Amino acid sequence: QKEVEQNSGPLSVPEGAIASLNCTYSDRVSQSFFWYRQYSGKSPELIMSIYSNGDKEDGRFTAQLNKASQYVSLLIRDSQPSDSATYLCAVNTGTASKLTFGTGTRLQVTL
Amino acid sequence: DTAVSQTPKYLVTQMGNDKSIKCEQNLGHDTMYWYKQDSKKFLKIMFSYNNKELIINETVPNRFSPKSPDKAHLNLHINSLELGDSAVYFCASSQASMLRGRETQYFGPGTRLLVL
């Protein structure tokens, strides 16, 4: 079983819609959760972090964490074509700043 | 001003050669990392240094040897390159925090290595 799992996509949503990206993780001691955005040919860029159960909002982005279900998600409201990228979920168990990444979900926002 | 920089950006070489990739960060961070991203975009940690001390050493062939001359620099030397080493190698840095595991990692632009 992979440590961090994501649907590879592509996830296609129309402009203005809500994009929902999901991630599950296997290590119950995981404490910190991150969403990175990676445009094609570019480096990963942090867009959200979440540490406690519940929702965390930042602009059009909302991260949701459910530790009991070992599930973290990212919602993107009012999706824009510029949101088209691969979204990487990353998990840290709290030791030595080691991030374990999922394989990423490719999001396509269509006009 | 580039926060995390890597050289070279592209590296094309023959099997069996030895090559090095350099990374520098000007963020004042004390922790640096090397990641490998394969053709399927899977990003995996290889090494991490904190204040020049190796703290993460994943299962990586010993042909890969990191070296941190100071906390702003982390280099990666690869001996006897193989076809499977072709990938994008990312350097990253972060600042250790009292809240362990919550540090934001900042990535460099990547080095695209192609072994022929």
Side-chain angles (χ1 to χ4, degrees), chain A residues 3 24 26 28 31-32 34 37 40 48 59 76 92 98:
Chain A
E3 295 180 64
T24 58
S26 60
R28 285 195 170 273
Q31 298 180 10
S32 304
F34 305 86
R37 177 177 62 200
S40 181
M48 288 287 288
I76 306 175
N92 190 311
K98 177 183 170 183

Side-chain angles (χ1 to χ4, degrees), chain B residues 23-62:
Chain B
C23 178
E24 177 181 2
Q25 55 92 5
N26 62 7
L27 297 168
H29 290 167
D30 59 5
T31 307
M32 297 184 73
Y33 312 80
W34 277 114
Y35 286 87
K36 178 181 180 181
Q37 189 170 45
D38 61 23
S39 57
K40 295 184 179 180
K41 305 298 183 187
F42 182 53
L43 191 62
K44 185 169 171 57
I45 182 78
M46 300 173 70
F47 303 102
S48 177
Y49 274 76
N50 176 263
N51 282 317
K52 302 194 297 176
E53 179 185 350
L54 182 66
I55 57 170
I56 296 175
N57 186 355
E58 290 295 287
T59 307
V60 175
N62 57 16

Side-chain angles (χ1 to χ4, degrees), chain A residues 3 31-32 34 36 38 40-46 51-52 86 88 92 94-104, chain B residues 31 33 35 37 40-45 48 55-56 58 90 94 96 100-110 112:
Chain A
E3 295 180 64
Q31 298 180 10
S32 304
F34 305 86
Y36 281 81
Q38 186 175 24
S40 181
K42 300 296 184 181
S43 57
E45 172 192 17
L46 181 70
Y51 314 114
S52 305
T86 295
L88 303 170
N92 190 311
T95 56
S97 301
K98 177 183 170 183
L99 283 183
T100 300
F101 282 84
T103 50
Chain B
T31 307
Y33 312 80
Y35 286 87
Q37 189 170 45
K40 295 184 179 180
K41 305 298 183 187
F42 182 53
L43 191 62
K44 185 169 171 57
I45 182 78
S48 177
I55 57 170
I56 296 175
E58 290 295 287
F90 286 103
S94 68
R100 295 194 69 189
R102 297 193 179 187
E103 305 87 351
T104 297
Q105 294 188 19
Y106 296 86
F107 284 79
R112 284 146 186 82

Side-chain angles (χ1 to χ4, degrees), chain A residues 69-88:
Chain A
S69 299
Q70 296 174 238
Y71 175 90
V72 58
S73 65
L74 179 70
L75 300 178
I76 306 175
R77 290 181 298 282
D78 188 23
S79 294
Q80 301 297 309
S82 60
D83 295 326
S84 297
T86 295
Y87 289 80
L88 303 170

